Amino acid sequence: TFRALERSWRPLVPKDQVPTFHYGGYFAKDVVDYDGRKGGITALSLNTIYWYRANAKVGGCRAKDSPGLAQLAWIRYQMRRARMRNRDIILLGHVLPNRDNYRPSCYHGYARTVTQTVPPPALNSSDSSEELVNVHAQLFGHSNVDVWAFVGQEAKWINSHDALLIATENVTDKRLWWEREVDEESGRFGKLIRDVWSTDVTLHAAINQPDERAWEDMEDDPQVHFTESADHIVPVVNATVKQSLPSDFVESLLKEFERVLVQNPPNPRLGVTTISPSIIPKYVPSFRIFHYLRSQPAQGERWWHLPVGTLLDYDVYWANIHKLNTKAQIDVRSFFTRLYRFSDEYKIDDLSINSYLKWAERLLSSKALRKRFRSLTYLGTQ
């Protein structure tokens, strides 16, 4: 499947990422070089189906041969590469990371990894600092709504050694066992780095057939268990897992915002994920255009305090198909029109984490703003 998809996506997948894509359906691509300075933005295209609760063919992210855990390890490896190459990161995927969508160990592992609870070292061994890689955006879809959410507020889970398997004798080493394998390029993930993730080579059979199999460790989903024959593993689904938005999706988001704001201070490594609406929609066709800081302004100028690559704003365009259906003829040039600009609608200056926190506080304190937020979440259809 991945090989067929790679042929279709060939213009998008860099040649040095083909083995990685064949292995897991995810890849990295440099998308922006900054003006007037070294570095740029690297996009990590994720395969979120490995973490998705509704996918009965994979388990959680505890098992040593879990494809979901391998993808977390790959993200950490890419962060190490980004440190060495002076690049920032944006993450793109289909299913939004939250407790409803992802298996618990995968969600906690994702939040721990992208917030860099224990920062990965750079590939350059001489760089011993714990400087964080800038993760400028986490962009997702799937739910057809126009909204955003925090990631990283569950500090008690993200920092907990119960979130994923631990195998370390050094009590001062806060890394999980798989983070150590990535950083030290040892064990199974060291082999993946050498044979797949860091070079353009033909996949070895040993990579596709791991020595250990622990798929039966399905701590996340009691509805699924696995039986193993001599040459393959068969998932057995005991019940259908129904996946849908909560009955009041907006209300559940507002409660999440409340949980973030009651922490004083909030987690300093808090991140934001955004759900973009869909061209092929449940509600109405829509898309976003993001604006970001491409070069560093002079001191004192607007946005001079923000790092290059920070998202500044976005426009949401929609097709009001209910109105368009009443017209005898449609001008394709005006099929999509701008519904709103984020900064104008919510009176914020940029899309930094501090701006999101201030906006969430205003949102919770204003009934009128909550009503408007609900309407825009569903693109004016509710």
Side-chain angles (χ1 to χ4, degrees):
T1 300
F2 291 149
R3 290 179 181 272
L5 190 57
E6 181 266 322
R7 287 193 293 271
S8 299
W9 288 7
R10 189 151 292 169
L12 300 176
V13 181
K15 288 184 177 180
D16 68 339
Q17 291 293 301
V18 169
T20 299
F21 189 83
H22 287 175
Y23 175 78
Y26 40 85
F27 65 95
K29 183 173 184 176
D30 294 346
V31 292
V32 169
D33 292 321
Y34 291 140
D35 294 339
R37 52 159 283 193
K38 293 182 179 180
I41 296 176
T42 297
L44 305 186
S45 178
L46 307 175
N47 183 354
T48 57
I49 301 303
Y50 283 152
W51 302 325
Y52 190 30
R53 281 181 181 268
N55 183 1
K57 293 189 176 182
V58 296
C61 292
R62 286 183 184 270
K64 291 185 177 181
D65 63 342
S66 160
L69 181 58
Q71 184 170 212
L72 294 176
W74 175 77
I75 294 173
R76 186 174 179 88
Y77 170 69
Q78 289 297 330
M79 287 183 169
R80 294 186 65 204
R81 291 188 72 236
R83 282 272 304 277
M84 182 185 71
R85 302 174 63 224
N86 195 31
R87 298 190 72 84
D88 303 327
I89 283 177
I90 61 174
L91 300 162
L92 304 99
H94 182 65
V95 181
L96 177 78
N98 65 25
R99 288 175 292 176
D100 294 322
N101 290 333
Y102 287 10
R103 299 177 187 276
S105 60
C106 297
Y107 175 62
H108 302 157
Y110 175 86
R112 177 185 171 91
T113 301
V114 299
T115 60
Q116 300 166 78
T117 301
V118 181
L123 290 179
N124 181 359
S125 59
S126 64
D127 183 356
S128 60
S129 69
E130 291 195 350
E131 181 180 352
L132 301 184
V133 175
N134 286 322
V135 179
H136 285 309
Q138 302 174 57
L139 310 178
F140 296 88
H142 178 67
S143 298
N144 290 278
V145 291
D146 175 26
V147 78
W148 58 273
F150 291 110
V151 166
Q153 68 271 30
E154 305 90 344
K156 65 178 181 180
W157 290 330
I158 294 171
N159 292 308
S160 171
H161 281 191
D162 294 330
L164 294 168
L165 288 177
I166 290 294
T168 179
E169 299 78 27
N170 186 349
V171 294
T172 64
D173 189 344
K174 302 299 185 182
R175 293 175 297 178
L176 304 180
W177 69 266
W178 61 269
E179 292 171 334
R180 292 179 66 196
E181 285 196 1
V182 173
D183 296 348
E184 298 168 6
E185 298 191 12
S186 62
R188 171 169 168 73
F189 295 127
K191 183 173 178 59
L192 275 171
I193 290 171
R194 292 188 298 273
D195 292 351
V196 183
W197 296 342
S198 65
T199 184
D200 187 8
V201 295
T202 302
L203 289 180
H204 299 299
I207 295 298
N208 284 326
Q209 297 294 329
D211 295 332
E212 288 191 78
R213 288 183 173 179
W215 291 87
E216 65 276 11
D217 180 14
M218 295 294 296
E219 85 294 343
D220 294 328
D221 193 345
Q223 295 181 313
V224 181
H225 68 274
F226 288 82
T227 60
E228 186 172 358
S229 66
D231 58 352
H232 64 287
I233 301 172
V234 180
V236 179
V237 183
N238 298 329
T240 301
V241 182
K242 183 178 180 180
Q243 293 293 319
S244 61
L245 292 176
S247 57
D248 193 330
F249 183 55
V250 172
E251 194 61 33
S252 68
L253 280 175
L254 295 177
K255 289 180 180 179
E256 287 289 336
F257 295 169
E258 288 176 351
R259 281 192 281 268
V260 170
L261 293 174
V262 296
Q263 299 178 21
N264 190 21
N267 182 353
R269 296 182 183 177
L270 200 65
V272 172
T273 62
T274 67
I275 310 177
S276 294
S278 176
I279 291 289
I280 304 174
K282 179 178 180 180
Y283 302 107
V284 294
S286 184
F287 63 89
R288 287 177 177 172
I289 295 179
F290 284 91
H291 308 275
Y292 68 96
L293 189 62
R294 191 178 179 99
S295 58
Q296 192 68 53
Q299 186 169 350
E301 293 184 354
R302 188 183 186 191
W303 299 317
W304 70 271
H305 61 292
L306 297 175
V308 175
T310 299
L311 293 185
L312 301 175
D313 210 345
Y314 65 77
D315 297 309
V316 175
Y317 287 81
W318 73 324
N320 188 344
I321 55 178
H322 306 294
K323 183 178 180 180
L324 291 169
N325 284 339
T326 65
K327 295 184 177 182
Q329 290 185 329
I330 299 175
D331 185 351
V332 294
R333 293 171 297 180
S334 60
F335 187 85
F336 284 99
T337 57
R338 194 171 75 177
L339 179 62
Y340 71 95
R341 172 164 286 184
F342 191 86
S343 60
D344 293 340
E345 186 67 40
Y346 294 112
K347 312 303 180 189
I348 65 173
D349 193 51
D350 54 64
L351 301 184
S352 65
I353 185 63
N354 288 333
S355 295
Y356 273 112
L357 287 168
K358 292 176 183 177
W359 178 62
E361 189 172 11
R362 290 206 310 268
L363 183 67
L364 293 173
S365 63
S366 170
K367 184 177 180 179
L369 194 56
R370 291 197 302 274
K371 182 178 180 180
R372 179 61 175 164
F373 175 65
R374 179 182 293 274
S375 174
L376 292 177
T377 295
Y378 298 103
L379 300 162
T381 62
Q382 295 189 16

